[in-house]
Amino acid sequence: MSIKIAIIGAGASGIIAAIEASKHSNIVVDLFEKNSAVGKKILASGNGRCNISNSNLCEDSYICENHELIRSTIELFDFEKFEKYFKNLALLVDTKDDGRSYPLSNEASSVVLALTSALKNINILTNTTITKITKNKKFTIHTEEKEFTDYDKVVISSGSQAAPTLGSCSDGYEFASYFKHTIMPTYPSLVGLHLNTKVHAKLSGVKVNAKAKLFINGVESDSTIGDVLFTKYGLSGFAILDISQKASLGLLNHDRVQIALNMVINFTRSQLSSYISSQTKLTPTLNILTLLSGVISVKFSKVLLDFLEINYNEQIATLNSKSIKKIINHLQDWRFDVTQTHGFKHAEVSGGGVSSHEVTNNFESKLVKNLFFSGEVLDVLGKRGGYNLHFAFASGYIVGNHITK
Ligand SMILES: Cc1cc2nc3c(=O)[nH]c(=O)nc-3n(C[C@H](O)[C@H](O)[C@H](O)COP(=O)(O)OP(=O)(O)OC[C@H]3O[C@@H](n4cnc5c(N)ncnc54)[C@H](O)[C@@H]3O)c2cc1C
């Protein structure tokens, strides 16, 4: 007697679940995908380079209600296992000093090619959108046009709502809700942030290597150093994406969310103050715009001076100490209120999802026997740096191996 398995969603997680399940004898695997090809999101990952994993995997790399699930997943499919797994698929990886791992080819398409080459003895049904999953004795998979019947086991690996142009949607949550699973409120993550000022729009296009601090209800809750990009809507750039996880969660909870930017990280506050004083003695007739432009971009300097209503041509010797203090404050601690995120459309991942407390460490539903979940559909959110793909691969691997037992 063969076991018939349906896997919903051919992203990182569903593909590996299918590869693993199909290695066992007497298994029939149908892999359903609404897109015209499998692995579309992998191709877009890491700007086409695909930051595929990270050698510094640890529990703290994830936001998840169920810490035990993260711990056991990392244990069962750790970085060494990941490297070996992909080596067996003829995909070598290049792991940088900071732990981020990329395909040696530097191309996400190599990852998709390696994975699709391993999809053997599997019925791949692309251009097939699943509308409903029901269970009598066995599972039935529904589309608008037809029903696929008699599945012994089902894996829901249909991802989240982040980046809908790549096939993402909330279907997985609806399937899970039908089976009475709890859906933890979802929120966009690794995403730009909107501000309540108008000044950011004037700075649009300016990129600074800055320290970004996140304040939730006035309390510092995260900080990071990296690129901050001013945009028409607010802020983007790697530093902002990194703190967007907690910012987005704060917005979901209706907290006051603020970002403080230090745009001159090479100087302490007193060093910056002494530098301005020494320049005032050295070149008293120098205008403030020229002085600031030696520290930060000309565009930024102009917008800041306009904002503070200070004349560009004012000589530094004639500037009063209050104005100098204001300039330093804004350069090193400019605080903005965050009003919303840039939305799921532009987010890389989603927080929230199917409650991780309602699955076993093998990702089987605790509510419905033979129903499994893997990947981003669960309420597991990784930091930027390859953690999300690693979780998708790891959970798919564990499901694919357990489901045949
Ligand atoms: C632009 C971008 C860049 C990223 N870069 C990185 C990175 O460098 N490193 C990293 O770790 N993570 C990155 N991520 C996140 C990472 O890609 C995801 O976390 C991961 O791909 C999730 O895999 P998954 O298999 O769970 O879901 P997905 O890859 O989203 O796969 C789910 C699949 O299910 C299909 N589907 C959904 N509903 C249905 C339905 N009803 N019927 C049939 N099919 C359905 C979808 O079309 C999709 O193909 C990035 C994400 C984006 C958007």
Side-chain angles (χ1 to χ4, degrees):
M1 268 279 282
S2 63
I3 302 177
K4 201 174 163 194
I5 297 171
I7 299 178
I8 318 301
S13 189
I15 294 175
I16 290 215
I19 294 171
E20 289 309 299
S22 67
K23 283 180 183 167
H24 300 260
S25 53
N26 295 328
I27 303 282
V28 175
V29 180
D30 289 347
L31 176 60
F32 294 95
E33 171 54 54
K34 69 196 266 199
N35 287 329
S36 57
V38 306
K40 206 168 167 187
K41 198 175 270 184
I42 301 174
L43 286 177
S45 290
N47 279 329
R49 277 175 80 202
C50 195
N51 181 188
I52 191 174
S53 181
N54 196 303
S55 61
N56 299 321
L57 288 170
C58 68
E59 212 188 307
D60 290 347
S61 317
Y62 294 93
I63 296 177
C64 174
E65 293 279 309
N66 184 348
H67 300 280
E68 175 48 31
L69 181 73
I70 298 297
R71 218 172 297 139
S72 86
T73 304
I74 294 175
E75 223 172 271
L76 285 168
F77 195 86
D78 59 12
F79 184 74
E80 284 69 36
K81 181 111 188 173
F82 149 81
E83 253 188 324
K84 203 166 153 205
Y85 189 87
F86 276 93
K87 198 171 175 191
N88 285 340
L89 298 181
L91 187 96
L92 301 183
V93 294
D94 175 24
T95 305
K96 308 288 182 197
D97 291 345
D98 64 2
R100 285 170 200 214
S101 193
Y102 296 87
L104 192 58
S105 66
N106 236 350
E107 284 181 5
S109 48
S110 303
V111 181
V112 175
L113 194 56
L115 289 170
T116 46
S117 305
L119 280 172
K120 295 193 183 104
N121 306 320
I122 294 160
N123 307 313
I124 304 171
L125 295 100
T126 49
N127 293 314
T128 310
T129 302
I130 306 309
T131 52
K132 205 158 100 181
I133 304 168
T134 52
K135 187 182 185 197
N136 210 332
K137 261 194 181 139
K138 295 201 174 189
F139 291 92
T140 300
I141 308 297
H142 305 251
T143 68
E144 289 290 352
E145 296 81 27
K146 64 186 278 195
E147 289 176 3
F148 299 83
T149 57
D150 292 327
Y151 291 97
D152 300 289
K153 306 193 182 199
V154 169
V155 184
I156 299 178
S157 51
S158 48
S160 72
Q161 293 149 284
T165 51
L166 303 172
S168 305
C169 58
S170 59
D171 289 358
Y173 309 139
E174 278 154 39
F175 305 148
S177 296
Y178 175 84
F179 289 110
K180 306 273 185 269
H181 273 276
T182 311
I183 310 301
M184 304 306 288
T186 59
Y187 53 94
S189 190
L190 300 186
V191 66
L193 299 171
H194 289 227
L195 304 177
N196 75 339
T197 60
K198 289 208 171 74
V199 75
H200 55 77
K202 293 184 187 145
L203 287 167
S204 182
V206 172
K207 199 194 234 183
V208 201
N209 185 36
K211 179 167 187 176
K213 281 189 196 169
L214 179 73
F215 289 87
I216 304 287
N217 295 329
V219 179
E220 186 179 332
S221 78
D222 204 357
S223 79
T224 183
I225 292 179
D227 283 346
V228 170
L229 176 69
F230 288 88
T231 67
K232 287 218 157 60
Y233 62 79
L235 296 172
S236 184
F238 290 143
I240 299 303
L241 298 192
D242 285 340
I243 59 173
S244 69
Q245 299 193 317
K246 287 187 184 162
S248 186
L249 194 54
L251 292 166
L252 186 77
N253 295 331
H254 305 289
D255 294 329
R256 183 171 189 199
V257 179
Q258 291 172 300
I259 285 186
L261 295 179
N262 177 354
M263 265 117 3
V264 190
I265 53 176
N266 296 339
F267 286 90
T268 63
R269 201 182 165 84
S270 64
Q271 282 170 337
L272 187 57
S273 176
S274 323
Y275 171 70
I276 295 176
S277 311
S278 66
Q279 283 302 323
T280 308
K281 283 183 200 132
L282 206 67
T283 52
T285 56
L286 192 75
N287 70 42
I288 184 64
L289 177 63
T290 311
L291 179 84
L292 277 187
S293 303
V295 175
I296 199 158
S297 84
V298 178
K299 184 169 176 180
F300 187 94
S301 305
K302 284 183 174 171
V303 174
L304 176 60
L305 292 173
D306 286 341
F307 182 75
L308 298 176
E309 296 177 342
I310 297 171
N311 188 327
Y312 303 165
N313 295 317
E314 177 137 8
Q315 293 182 353
I316 48 178
T318 63
L319 262 183
N320 61 39
S321 60
K322 209 169 151 195
S323 298
I324 291 177
K325 206 169 159 195
K326 268 195 207 162
I327 291 172
I328 294 175
N329 274 348
H330 283 80
L331 283 175
Q332 294 201 306
D333 189 21
W334 199 344
R335 210 174 273 214
F336 302 95
D337 273 293
V338 178
T339 51
Q340 57 176 310
T341 73
H342 204 32
F344 277 116
K345 193 172 170 195
H346 304 279
E348 288 192 7
V349 279
S350 168
V354 178
S355 170
S356 51
H357 281 303
E358 295 173 356
V359 294
T360 66
N361 285 358
N362 293 315
F363 296 95
E364 183 169 4
S365 163
K366 288 180 182 171
L367 313 184
V368 181
K369 204 168 161 36
N370 295 326
L371 178 66
F372 292 77
F373 295 93
S374 72
E376 212 182 299
V377 73
L378 286 157
D379 75 335
V380 176
L381 173 59
K383 286 185 186 169
R384 197 173 59 82
Y387 299 103
N388 285 297
L389 275 170
H390 186 95
F391 179 75
F393 291 136
S395 54
Y397 175 86
I398 294 167
V399 167
N401 278 285
H402 183 76
I403 201 166
T404 52
K405 287 179 183 151

